[in-house]
């Protein structure tokens, strides 16, 4: 026999989604702040990273993985541009994560505007790299995977939208 949850009680699946979102946004905020404060890469770090990437590209070329070579070259270019905007790109990502955390909090409080904020958060998180990097430098697969994951979570939250719009308790 199926049991239904009382309408005033938060659905368990929504609670799980909220916890996952808060873990993701909280860790993004925390590690973003740590990165800005303590882990700005030095010129030596960037040089070492370029050399390692160049080795990987050479190995992949030898194996004939041209598509991966192209993707790694784009990632390398993207990384160099993002490092040139290190503080601003990390602060933008922290602000976007804060929006996601605020949206999750609103949904936790049964406010349906949190759902709309969550959609905005996901869209901004997917396209934030384009604030600093030319679209030609960003591998399409990165955007596609991020959009698919975002869509899945938005659809999972959408299942609980009627509960969020329901009577307040």
């Amino acid at each position: 026999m199926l049991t239904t949850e009382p309408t005033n009680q938060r659905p368990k699946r929504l609670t799980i989604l909220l916890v996952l979102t808060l873990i993701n946004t909280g860790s993004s905020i925390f590690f973003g702040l740590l990165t800005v404060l303590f882990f700005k890469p030095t010129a030596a770090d960037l040089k070492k990273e370029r050399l390692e990437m160049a080795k990987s590209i050479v190995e992949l070329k030898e194996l004939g993985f041209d598509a991966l070579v192209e993707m790694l070259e784009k990632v390398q270019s993207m990384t160099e541009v993002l490092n040139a905007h290190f503080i601003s790109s990390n602060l933008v990502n922290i602000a976007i994560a804060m929006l996601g955390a605020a949206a999750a909090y609103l949904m936790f409080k049964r406010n349906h505007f949190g759902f709309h904020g969550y959609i905005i958060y996901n869209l901004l998180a997917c396209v934030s790299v384009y604030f600093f990097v030319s679209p030609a430098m960003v591998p399409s697969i990165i955007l596609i995977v991020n959009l698919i994951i975002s869509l899945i979570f938005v659809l999972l939250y959408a299942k609980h939208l009627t509960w969020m719009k329901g009577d307040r308790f």
Side-chain angles (χ1 to χ4, degrees), residues 56 63 112 114 128 138 161:
S56 297
L63 295 172
H112 69 280
S128 65
V138 180
L161 192 54

Side-chain angles (χ1 to χ4, degrees), residues 13-26 153 157:
R13 289 184 180 133
L14 177 60
T15 303
I16 292 168
L17 286 171
L18 290 168
V19 167
L20 290 173
T21 298
L22 289 172
I23 289 170
N24 179 44
T25 56
F153 272 82
Y157 273 115

Side-chain angles (χ1 to χ4, degrees), residues 1-115:
M1 187 184 240
L2 291 175
T3 60
T4 58
E5 296 180 34
T7 57
N8 285 340
Q9 189 175 355
R10 185 175 297 104
K12 290 179 184 176
R13 289 184 180 133
L14 177 60
T15 303
I16 292 168
L17 286 171
L18 290 168
V19 167
L20 290 173
T21 298
L22 289 172
I23 289 170
N24 179 44
T25 56
S27 63
S28 293
I29 294 165
F30 177 73
F31 289 115
L33 288 171
L34 281 179
T35 300
V36 167
L37 295 174
F38 302 112
F39 296 111
K40 183 171 179 12
T42 63
D45 294 335
L46 296 174
K47 184 178 179 180
K48 181 181 176 184
E49 181 182 314
R50 268 188 243 115
L51 287 173
E52 288 176 10
M53 186 68 78
K55 288 178 187 176
S56 297
I57 289 172
V58 167
E59 290 174 4
L60 288 172
K61 278 183 181 178
E62 289 173 356
L63 295 172
F65 293 121
D66 295 333
L68 283 176
V69 168
E70 182 182 341
M71 186 180 79
L72 283 180
E73 288 171 344
K74 284 183 176 184
V75 168
Q76 181 61 37
S77 299
M78 185 176 76
T79 302
E80 289 180 17
V81 171
L82 287 174
N83 279 328
H85 301 284
F86 181 78
I87 302 242
S88 55
S89 66
N90 279 294
L91 289 177
V92 164
N93 288 331
I94 291 168
I96 291 170
M98 291 172 115
L99 172 64
Y105 176 76
L106 287 174
M107 288 188 285
F108 179 80
K109 289 295 190 178
R110 204 170 183 179
N111 187 330
H112 69 280
F113 291 116
F115 176 72

Side-chain angles (χ1 to χ4, degrees), residues 78 92-93 96-97 118-131 133 138-152 154:
M78 185 176 76
V92 164
N93 288 331
I96 291 170
Y118 185 77
I119 293 171
I120 293 167
Y121 151 72
N122 275 292
L123 291 173
L124 287 174
C126 288
V127 301
S128 65
V129 71
Y130 296 112
F131 296 161
V133 179
V138 180
S140 299
I141 191 71
I142 291 174
L143 179 63
I144 292 167
V145 168
N146 286 337
L147 285 172
I148 289 171
I149 292 169
S150 294
L151 178 64
I152 290 168
V154 166

